[in-house]
Amino acid sequence: MSLPLLTQPPSFPFCDSLLFKVLMNSFTEMTSGDLCAEDGDSSPQDLAYWVTTPSNGHLALKSFPSQSIQNFSQAQINEGQLVFVHAAML
């Protein structure tokens, strides 16, 4: 059995904005206009992001906004599942 050869590197087409604005003590949906990658060899489900924890909040799935996540897929972004939860500085 041989594995398929992945030959195309991912690309990051221009997103709608280079700024991501959130309101204090709120959660804001991240869309493909905020973060997007494409790869001719991979589906959006297979394009994964790993992030370090932001200092002013956390990333979460919309269905569990209180649970911080460190990784997610492009498919989750495309489906409107990813939110940034802002935490005000005390």
Side-chain angles (χ1 to χ4, degrees):
M1 177 171 89
S2 64
L3 297 175
L5 178 62
L6 302 178
T7 58
Q8 296 182 15
S11 65
F12 297 90
F14 181 73
C15 297
D16 292 343
S17 174
L18 299 177
L19 298 175
F20 184 71
K21 297 179 184 180
V22 297
L23 297 174
M24 187 178 290
N25 293 321
S26 68
F27 70 89
T28 304
E29 181 179 329
M30 292 187 71
T31 69
S32 58
D34 301 312
L35 183 60
C36 50
E38 295 176 352
D39 184 354
D41 297 323
S42 304
S43 70
Q45 183 63 39
D46 295 326
L47 292 173
Y49 296 91
W50 278 264
V51 296
T52 57
T53 304
S55 61
N56 58 349
H58 66 270
L59 292 168
L61 295 178
K62 192 181 284 184
S63 55
F64 298 100
S66 62
Q67 184 176 347
S68 176
I69 61 172
Q70 265 43 70
N71 61 315
F72 51 90
S73 70
Q74 185 65 48
Q76 288 172 305
I77 296 170
N78 295 351
E79 294 165 4
Q81 297 178 16
L82 187 67
V83 294
F84 177 79
V85 181
H86 182 268
M89 302 293 278
L90 297 176

